[in-house]
Every structure is written in C-alpha cells, then in structure tokens.
Amino acid sequence: MAELVNLGGDRSLTSLEAPKPIGLTTKRFIDIILASSAIILLAPLLILCFFFSMLASRGPALYRHQRVGFRGRYFGCLKFRTMVPNSDVCLREYLATNPEANKEWVATRKLRFDPRVTALGSILRKTSLDELPQLFNVLMGDMSIVGPRPVTDEELVRYSTSVCAYLSCRPGITGLWQVSGRSGTTYSRRVACDTFYARNWSLMLDAEIIILTIPAMLNSENAC
C-alpha cells in the first residue's frame, strides 16, 4: 500500500501516528479565497447547471445529503441533483434483482451502471459539475477545497482504525482519492488515500492535488 502515491520525500501511507486537526486558520483562509473566487468566475456555469437540472426531471435542482464532517459534525453536502426522485426505491429494487450489481455495491458503494442516474446527471457526474454547489459548503465551513471524500455514517465504519484521520480534516471537493483513480480504485485504497492525506498534510500537498485535479476531471473513464 506504500506505493499508493509518490509525492516525494519519505511520507508513508503506513504511518500510525494520530493526526492533529489539519490546516486550521491558514487552510481555512485559503479555502474562503478560492471558493469565493470560483463562485464568481463560475457563476454562469452554476446557473446553467441549476436550470438544466430542474428541466431534466421533476424535483429540486439541488440535492442535500447528510455527511460526516470535521470532528464528527454532520452537514448537508450539496450537489446538483443527478438522480430520479425515488432513487432509494429504485436502488433497492435494482440490487434485489441483480446479484452482480449488489456485490459491486457492497464492495465499492458505486455502480458502473446506476439506474438512478438521469441522462443529464450522467454528464454532470462524468465532468464533476454536480459537485460545484459544494463551493458553498466550503464558504460555510463544512468542507475544504482539498480533503477526504465526504462520507456517510455507514461508510465511516469502513475506515476502522483510520476514523480519527478522517475526522481530523474538513471533507474536500477534491482530494488525493480523486486524483488517484477515483471510481477505478477500491474502497480500501480510498481509505488509504484519506489517511495518507490527513497524516501528511501540507500546503504544498494541497497545491499538488489542485494541479492534478483538472486532468483527473477530464478523465471521464474513472469519473463517479
């Protein structure tokens, strides 16, 4: 697992030291500057995505889902809606009649073919445009520009001994997992990415991840 990423130095994914809360004032200040600037620059795109999400299917354009955040605080993670309104029922029925899909869901919490996703939603997901509303989560202090992928209570259990590492960070719009293969990676690799990030955080690491995010977004093959 130590070869997961190669970002220089002797930073190791297998480090066992308990991470302290990362970034604090410095990271928060940079988050506010970057999120505010991005909202202003991307305002036309945000409006277009909002409009087309409303037209794609009935229901609100924005979707808010409860996730576990910094120090265990819950928050509503914002996204443009990419699924049909009765998505929970749709998923249960699909998994009940498709054993292979159920196995994939249990292993990764993702589906290569997800019957809940609308046609527009598929485009938004492949380009990561569905996550643009999370810029407002950053402004509110729920998230960071860079950090672990925001998870649910059910997913946090899978972090096992790495729970403290996850809780020491604000979840991020982008992160080490997103630039290391995204949906093409296993869940254990995702946990390892988040743990590595928490235990080895620096402003330089954040800068590296931000730079790598754009080509990762363009690689729609591994988009989630």
Side-chain angles (χ1 to χ4, degrees), residues 26 28 32 113 194:
T26 302
R28 180 73 188 129
I32 292 172
F113 171 74
D194 291 345

Side-chain angles (χ1 to χ4, degrees), residues 90-144:
C90 181
L91 178 63
R92 284 198 301 269
E93 292 178 349
Y94 180 70
L95 296 181
T97 57
N98 292 271
E100 287 301 317
N102 186 63
K103 182 179 178 181
E104 179 185 2
W105 176 258
V106 170
T108 66
R109 307 297 296 178
K110 300 286 182 183
L111 293 173
R112 284 292 179 177
F113 171 74
D114 195 328
R116 302 171 296 170
V117 179
T118 64
L120 174 65
S122 179
I123 296 172
L124 292 178
R125 286 182 162 217
K126 285 182 179 179
T127 56
S128 295
L129 293 176
D130 63 316
E131 297 178 357
L132 285 180
Q134 290 171 18
L135 290 167
F136 294 98
N137 282 124
V138 174
L139 283 185
M140 291 185 289
D142 299 323
M143 296 181 64
S144 177

